[in-house]
Amino acid sequence: MDFFDPVVIALGLAGLYMAWNIGANDLANAMGTSVGSGALSIKQVIIIAGVFEFVGAVFFGKRVTSTIAKGIVPIDTIKLIDPHLVVVGMLAAILAAGFWITFATFYNLPVSTSHSIVGAVLGFGLVSAHSGIIAYADINWLVLAKIVGSWLLSPLLGAAFAYLIFVLIRSLILQRADDPYAVEKKFVFLQVLTACYIAFAHGSNDVANAVGPLSAALSTLGLTDGTVPIWILAVGGVGMVIGLATWGYRVIETIGTKITDLTPTRGFAAQFATATVVIVHSYGSLPISTTHTLVGSVIGVGLAGGLAAVDLSVIGKIISSWIITVPVAALTAALIFTGLMGIGI
Amino acid sequence: MMRRKYIRSVLSVFAESPFRPLHMHAEKGADATRKLSEALEAYCAGDMARVEELSSEINVIEHEADVIKQTIRSQLKSSIMLPVNADDLLDFLKPQDAIPDTAQDVAYWLTLRKCELPDVIRDGLLELMSKSAETVEMYETLVDKLSELLETSFSKKEVKQTLAIVPQVEELEHEVDVIETNLVKTIFKHEDELGGAGVYHLAELVKVIGDIADKSEHAADRLRTMILRR
């Protein structure tokens, strides 16, 4: 097998589609708050997001990518039996995650790409164990537990951190200012910085969802040296930027026009908290949902009394999306894997 | 807008702010009161056609206020988190909604009966109306401060400034009470001249005009509770 094997090409294309989807929706969500508060125009946001997302993906995306590629399922063990299994398994995983994300997006469900790809890779691991390729104990349950724990923790951390930042802004700046509207104008500049920050953080964490499986396949085939090469991260980065430019601007537009309540001080608190939580998780090699963290951060600003109205029913929707995403993605990946093997691919 | 949007978004965490419609709703009360002042002047000048016309304009304003009120209520699901207590907000919306309602009542009473008024009663009515209108205007100033309160997320200074307006509304309402009591006495002094129906009509009119100030004071009081208990 080489780069031009149809299965490898399919993996690359599926990865690009996933990257496009992440750029079009998740990145756009993270950036939409800057447009909503009037800090940046849509054009400026797309340029900033494009540059920093790419840089984040390329220079800081390696850790999470290697978690997706080989942190959960022991591909090195499977490789010893047949490298082909890993390639097909990873193709099944990215296809399953891609299908689920596409479906969820059509129905506007708050589903995370990170949760989907983790569930799908796990599905591949489980079906391998089921068919005796590996033992169930070979699946890295500890890493999986850490990942799931981080999904619960990251929105809470976002909420707590955003709460703290906004309380500080309020007591140190807003309440001392003679003209609170002038303060908002000053925060516009800070929000330009947080827009860069959040794009960088997002790129560093979410590129893995698109190129993790591809990276696993290429390393199994010996086409890379076992670490995640920069060019794979660059492919993911380019895909996400294309997603933002070709579709994400509409999402940004929709969000930007509807969340006018999120003034620059509030937007800054929510984005800074989100970006920080995400980047800490990227450093800890944990794939989390930027969107869920952002929702947590917005609620944190609301809890601090910074927003006119926050709808907490979104929490229930997010929790049910957690519960449903992993089994659905896992089962789909298992079925696709079995199907692909069945037809002799 | 696309019919089926290919979008996963964080939008659903942002609920509609009830404070903007709340402000619009307060303005409806003030608008209705201004129209009513005009209507009373027309009444005193004997221009009943103009009174009818203004009365139906007030009906329209009152209806608009009702629609806004219903919108606010329907948006406040239990999952909505506000910087104030939602029950307090609804408690305050109720008396605020009574302001255009009462203005509508007064306009209705004006259309019922044409009246030849002694000068002293006419002047008394106009004075009562202008003081009631002043109370509503002061109340409107109070509601205007709400947006700044939200902007600074209830800074102590803004809260203090806002709450300082409440006693001013209360003071004006007290002045309205005094005018009201004296005016009713004057009306009964002229009972022979006015006749039973005339006295009844005027006494009721005085009562409802005074009610406008009453409701404003009540709403101001509720607004204070909402701000303090948040």
Side-chain angles (χ1 to χ4, degrees):
Chain A
M1 267 195 187
D2 59 17
F3 283 118
F4 302 103
D5 185 276
V7 183
V8 176
I9 290 173
L11 247 171
L13 289 177
L16 270 177
Y17 170 70
M18 197 71 171
W20 178 87
N21 216 308
I22 294 166
N25 281 292
D26 298 318
L27 177 57
N29 265 296
M31 305 311 291
T33 46
S34 319
V35 176
S37 62
L40 290 163
S41 73
I42 290 193
K43 234 184 214 164
Q44 291 168 323
V45 149
I46 288 178
I47 293 166
I48 285 183
V51 171
F52 284 88
E53 176 88 0
F54 184 79
V55 172
V58 170
F59 294 103
F60 211 56
K62 201 177 262 187
R63 286 166 183 262
V64 184
T65 304
S66 81
T67 300
I68 299 284
K70 51 192 174 188
I72 303 165
V73 177
I75 52 169
D76 291 335
T77 314
I78 301 176
K79 183 172 79 175
L80 295 179
I81 299 163
D82 183 359
H84 186 69
L85 287 173
V86 176
V87 182
V88 176
M90 285 297 170
L91 177 62
I94 190 110
L95 287 176
F99 283 144
W100 174 236
I101 281 297
T102 304
F103 174 85
T105 309
F106 267 116
Y107 289 92
N108 201 359
L109 308 173
V111 163
S112 152
T113 46
S114 309
H115 300 186
S116 309
I117 196 71
V118 168
V121 170
L122 175 66
F124 161 53
L126 287 174
V127 82
S128 310
H130 180 72
S131 48
I133 301 168
I134 52 170
Y136 281 103
D138 286 342
I139 294 173
N140 205 333
W141 297 106
L142 184 67
V143 169
L144 199 66
K146 271 193 200 163
I147 292 173
V148 173
S150 74
W151 293 348
L152 294 167
L153 201 61
S154 53
L156 294 176
L157 280 176
F161 197 33
Y163 179 94
L164 196 70
I165 295 172
F166 186 68
V167 166
L168 285 176
I169 291 176
R170 184 179 57 190
S171 55
L172 296 180
I173 304 170
L174 276 179
Q175 304 206 336
R176 292 185 185 181
D178 293 322
D179 179 8
Y181 299 100
V183 175
E184 296 294 349
K185 282 203 187 105
K186 287 186 187 142
F187 266 81
V188 166
F189 173 70
L190 282 175
Q191 247 211 315
V192 175
L193 296 184
T194 47
C196 304
Y197 185 27
I198 203 169
F200 180 87
H202 182 266
S204 73
N205 203 284
D206 278 35
V207 71
N209 306 340
V211 301
L214 177 65
S215 164
L218 295 182
S219 114
T220 307
L221 295 175
L223 295 172
T224 63
D225 62 3
T227 61
V228 182
I230 280 192
W231 69 264
I232 292 189
L233 298 171
V235 167
V238 167
M240 293 193 287
V241 174
I242 291 175
L244 182 73
T246 56
W247 189 263
Y249 70 95
R250 298 186 199 217
V251 180
I252 293 180
E253 230 165 30
T254 313
I255 293 170
T257 51
K258 285 193 181 160
I259 52 171
T260 47
D261 275 340
L262 201 74
T263 60
T265 49
R266 278 78 168 165
F268 169 81
Q271 282 194 322
F272 190 81
T274 306
T276 305
V277 170
V278 171
I279 214 143
V280 165
H281 282 86
S282 299
Y283 185 76
S285 312
L286 294 167
I288 58 163
S289 165
T290 311
T291 308
H292 293 180
T293 310
L294 182 60
V295 167
S297 302
V298 169
I299 290 175
V301 176
L303 282 170
L307 289 169
V310 171
D311 190 347
L312 297 180
S313 66
V314 71
I315 297 175
K317 286 182 211 157
I318 286 184
I319 291 175
S320 40
S321 88
W322 280 340
I323 295 171
I324 204 169
T325 293
V326 174
V328 166
L331 189 66
T332 315
L335 288 174
I336 294 175
F337 178 71
T338 314
L340 288 176
M341 295 308 285
I343 58 173
I345 289 174
Chain B
M1 277 287 158
M2 292 159 284
R3 192 163 294 165
R4 169 71 73 196
K5 294 191 218 84
Y6 190 66
I7 287 176
R8 294 189 306 280
S9 79
V10 292
L11 264 183
S12 53
V13 70
F14 295 96
E16 286 291 334
S17 162
F19 295 99
R20 259 186 299 275
L22 213 53
H23 191 258
M24 276 164 64
H25 183 265
E27 281 175 342
K28 294 292 172 194
D31 286 348
T33 313
R34 280 187 281 270
K35 291 272 182 212
L36 185 65
S37 299
E38 256 186 81
L40 188 73
E41 273 165 33
Y43 181 77
C44 291
D47 186 354
M48 290 307 276
R50 181 72 184 139
V51 173
E52 289 284 355
E53 199 181 310
L54 285 163
S55 167
S56 56
E57 284 176 29
I58 292 171
N59 284 342
V60 172
I61 295 173
E62 192 275 339
H63 178 67
E64 287 165 352
D66 271 350
V67 172
I68 298 173
K69 178 189 72 180
Q70 283 153 12
T71 315
I72 296 173
R73 286 202 178 145
S74 63
Q75 281 171 355
L76 284 182
K77 295 176 294 175
S78 61
S79 63
I80 306 286
M81 181 175 72
L82 303 171
V84 297
N85 185 318
D87 289 336
D88 288 345
L89 188 140
L90 292 174
D91 276 350
F92 137 70
L93 179 60
K94 204 173 167 187
Q96 177 172 286
D97 189 53
I99 300 172
D101 275 358
T102 315
Q104 186 186 31
D105 283 351
V106 178
Y108 167 69
W109 274 91
L110 286 178
T111 61
L112 287 179
R113 194 165 188 275
K114 192 176 172 177
C115 194
E116 296 297 324
L117 297 172
D119 283 355
V120 57
I121 293 176
R122 193 191 60 205
D123 292 349
L125 274 180
L126 289 171
E127 192 197 355
L128 177 70
M129 184 67 232
S130 101
K131 197 53 93 176
S132 278
E134 210 184 307
T135 317
V136 177
E137 299 285 344
M138 185 58 78
Y139 173 71
E140 210 190 0
T141 319
L142 175 63
V143 175
D144 281 344
K145 293 289 280 178
L146 252 187
S147 62
E148 241 161 282
L149 273 183
L150 288 171
E151 182 55 45
T152 60
S153 171
F154 296 91
S155 82
K156 286 196 188 86
K157 193 175 75 190
E158 291 291 337
V159 167
K160 209 172 150 195
Q161 284 175 6
T162 308
L163 294 184
I165 302 175
V166 178
Q168 296 182 44
V169 178
E170 284 166 343
E171 176 57 31
L172 285 167
E173 192 270 339
H174 174 69
E175 288 172 28
V176 168
D177 272 352
V178 174
I179 299 170
E180 197 180 330
T181 329
N182 291 332
L183 189 54
V184 173
K185 281 183 192 157
T186 315
I187 290 168
F188 276 94
K189 272 186 201 145
H190 290 77
E191 61 179 63
D192 295 338
E193 198 178 325
L194 293 165
V199 168
Y200 176 68
H201 180 239
L202 284 173
E204 189 61 32
L205 204 53
V206 168
K207 188 176 156 290
V208 276
I209 295 175
D211 275 352
I212 297 177
D214 253 12
K215 303 298 181 196
S216 311
E217 187 261 345
H218 189 180
D221 182 48
R222 288 291 167 188
L223 184 65
R224 174 170 54 195
T225 308
M226 179 178 90
I227 293 169
L228 289 177
R229 289 213 321 170
R230 76 185 184 281

